[in-house]
């Protein structure tokens, strides 16, 4: 063993220096030039939609709630098709809308379009259409084409009704503030009345409880129609009924 050890010292085994570019790293695998492109998956589509919609969410929301979405805030496929067809939005039609709706992995249970799906379909039509399809002169980019789509739809959509009525609220009530904010944001002619909760306890007065049995705020009345709870109030205001 001593002789072997001395031999290895005198005559070491030859070694090959590692390349500084590949030391400690696995070799890279390159795709052949004729490899197919990656599939355009649902997550990629949503990213493309979100990119096109960036900065336009508020305009999309106002357009959505100016339509006949009902108390559940749902736009039927027929109503959506009517909108894009009359607005001459690119190649959008009933078949295109139905085919696109079927590709949604997370379909709404109500069978219509919520605010999110509504915005996504507008983005889809913008991405799929050329400026010539839309009948406008603009850059052939999704955000610019989406502006054209929104403009066409906004020109057709009738302005929402200026709902009046009286909103009973109080500044310390977060649900009250939500209702007031929504009415102001939607441009509704809704009157807001501050209810004295702590001094006179107006919410417990017999005439108030006769209209609003819970004796709380917010509460809303429009003629003989009375409704309580912020979610129900906002849905009513959004529906235009």
């Amino acid at each position: 063993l001593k002789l072997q050890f001395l031999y290895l010292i005198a005559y070491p085994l030859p070694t090959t220096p590692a390349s500084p570019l590949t030391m400690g790293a696995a070799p890279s695998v390159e795709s052949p030039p004729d490899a197919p492109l990656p599939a355009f998956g649902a997550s990629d589509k949503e990213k493309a939609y979100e990119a096109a919609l960036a900065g336009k969410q508020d305009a999309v929301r106002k357009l959505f709630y100016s339509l006949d979405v009902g108390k559940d805030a749902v736009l039927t496929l027929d109503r959506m098709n009517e909108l894009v067809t009359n607005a001459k939005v690119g190649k959008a039609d009933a078949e295109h809308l139905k085919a696109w709706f079927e590709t949604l992995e997370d379909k709404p249970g109500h069978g219509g379009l919520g605010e999110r799906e509504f915005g996504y379909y507008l983005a889809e039509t913008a991405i799929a259409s050329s400026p010539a399809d839309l009948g406008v002169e603009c850059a052939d980019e999704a955000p610019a084409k989406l502006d054209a789509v929104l403009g066409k739809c906004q020109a057709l959509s009738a302005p929402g009704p200026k709902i009046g009525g009286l909103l009973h609220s109080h500044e310390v009530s977060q649900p009250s503030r939500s209702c007031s904010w929504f009415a102001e944001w939607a441009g509704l002619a809704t009157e807001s009345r501050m209810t004295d909760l702590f001094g006179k306890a107006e919410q417990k007065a017999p005439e108030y409880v006769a209209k609003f049995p819970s004796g709380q705020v917010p509460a809303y009345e429009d003629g003989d129609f009375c409704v309580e709870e912020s979610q129900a109030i906002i849905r009513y205001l959004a529906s235009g009924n």
Side-chain angles (χ1 to χ4, degrees):
L1 291 175
K2 290 182 178 180
L3 290 175
Q4 290 179 349
F5 178 71
L6 293 174
Y7 178 82
L8 289 174
I9 293 176
Y11 304 99
L13 294 174
T15 60
T16 303
S19 168
L21 296 178
T22 59
M23 187 186 311
S28 62
V29 179
E30 296 183 359
S31 300
D34 57 348
L37 293 174
F40 190 65
S43 60
D44 297 318
K45 280 188 177 182
E46 291 188 358
K47 289 178 182 177
Y49 295 155
E50 295 290 349
L53 288 164
K56 300 176 174 54
Q57 293 91 339
D58 192 54
V60 170
R61 171 166 291 179
K62 286 185 178 180
L63 175 60
F64 179 74
Y65 282 106
S66 73
L67 303 170
D68 185 16
V69 296
K71 64 180 181 179
D72 294 324
V74 174
L75 189 68
T76 65
L77 295 184
D78 288 342
R79 182 69 182 92
M80 183 68 185
N81 177 58
E82 179 184 350
L83 174 67
V84 294
T85 300
N86 292 339
K88 295 181 171 46
V89 177
K91 299 177 180 179
D93 55 26
E95 291 185 4
H96 180 267
L97 174 59
K98 183 178 179 181
W100 174 84
F101 186 77
E102 290 301 320
T103 65
L104 292 180
E105 293 186 1
D106 185 18
K107 291 187 181 63
H110 43 62
L113 302 180
E115 183 183 333
R116 171 177 173 269
E117 295 79 28
F118 175 76
Y120 277 5
Y121 186 64
L122 293 181
E124 167 67 21
T125 59
I127 293 171
S129 303
S130 68
D133 293 332
L134 297 171
V136 297
E137 294 183 5
C138 68
D140 194 5
E141 299 175 351
K145 292 186 291 184
L146 182 54
D147 282 335
V149 170
L150 282 170
K152 284 174 168 285
C153 293
Q154 288 166 343
L156 273 184
S157 62
K162 298 295 183 180
I163 296 180
L166 176 63
L167 176 65
H168 300 270
S169 62
H170 194 281
E171 58 187 7
V172 301
S173 164
Q174 188 278 326
S176 291
R177 295 196 299 271
S178 296
C179 294
S180 298
W181 174 86
F182 182 85
E184 180 180 355
W185 172 83
L188 304 179
T190 302
E191 180 185 353
S192 183
R193 181 181 182 278
M194 189 72 66
T195 304
D196 187 344
L197 302 181
F198 308 109
K200 299 180 180 179
E202 292 178 336
Q203 77 279 15
K204 301 300 182 182
E207 58 272 19
Y208 187 95
V209 175
K211 296 178 180 179
F212 311 109
S214 70
Q216 298 178 352
V217 294
Y220 174 84
E221 59 179 307
D222 188 2
D224 294 332
F225 177 77
C226 299
V227 61
E228 301 178 84
E229 298 187 0
S230 59
Q231 290 187 7
I233 293 170
I234 291 174
R235 284 189 175 186
Y236 174 82
L237 296 176
S239 71
N241 293 326

